[in-house]
Amino acid sequence: MLVAKSPLITHHIKIEKTNLGDLYFFKNYVIAEFYEGVEIDYLSFEQCQNLIKKYFGENDFGFISNRINSYSVVITEAYLFNKAFPNAKAYATVSYNVFTQKSFEVESHFFKFNKRNFLSLTEAVSWVENTLKK
């Protein structure tokens, strides 16, 4: 489900359009909907990284990747993402097919975030909010 077509849209603070996709900022988490076919590496993620740091600063936050489109992540650069976001306390992905579920499993071996996969956006948001309360 697209964020824009979900009840969540009424609670967002800001929407940022980037070179990789749309970022929906909420009080303590961001939902990313990356565009079809993009390749996400550390350099291409710079615009997103700057926006995330602008909104959350040093505060703990959650990141939700709403995988409505197919895209790739350069996992050999995972260590750079891990270092860049020490305050990312919850990382959720929402998978809509078997391929994105398998991608999550592979990425989990490289990214050191507290990470879980979900089949619905509502479940992912609930987990992120509960994790950040702890």
Side-chain angles (χ1 to χ4, degrees), residues 46-105:
E46 183 176 28
Q47 183 184 16
C48 297
Q49 179 179 336
N50 291 338
L51 289 167
I52 291 167
K53 289 186 176 194
K54 173 186 164 189
Y55 279 91
F56 300 117
E58 300 299 317
N59 298 319
D60 291 348
F61 72 95
F63 185 94
I64 300 171
S65 177
N66 191 26
R67 292 191 167 196
I68 55 169
N69 294 311
S70 179
Y71 59 87
S72 63
V73 177
V74 178
I75 57 176
T76 56
E77 295 185 353
Y79 71 98
L80 295 169
F81 290 98
N82 293 331
K83 286 173 58 174
F85 296 106
N87 54 331
K89 301 303 179 190
Y91 184 104
T93 46
V94 182
S95 297
Y96 296 95
N97 59 52
V98 174
F99 179 75
T100 55
Q101 289 173 12
K102 294 295 182 191
S103 295
F104 170 82
E105 291 173 16

Side-chain angles (χ1 to χ4, degrees), residues 8 33 84 92-93 102-104 112 114 127 132:
L8 291 169
E33 291 181 344
T93 46
K102 294 295 182 191
S103 295
F104 170 82
K112 301 302 178 199
N114 179 17
W127 177 77
L132 291 171

Side-chain angles (χ1 to χ4, degrees), residues 24-43:
Y24 295 83
F25 286 91
F26 295 82
K27 181 181 174 187
N28 56 359
Y29 63 92
V30 59
I31 301 175
E33 291 181 344
F34 295 119
Y35 299 137
E36 181 72 30
V38 297
E39 180 179 74
I40 301 170
D41 62 14
Y42 191 72
L43 183 61

Side-chain angles (χ1 to χ4, degrees), residues 1 64 66 93-96 117-125:
M1 171 182 291
I64 300 171
N66 191 26
T93 46
V94 182
S95 297
Y96 296 95
N117 188 55
F118 298 90
L119 300 178
S120 81
L121 189 54
T122 306
E123 290 175 327
V125 168

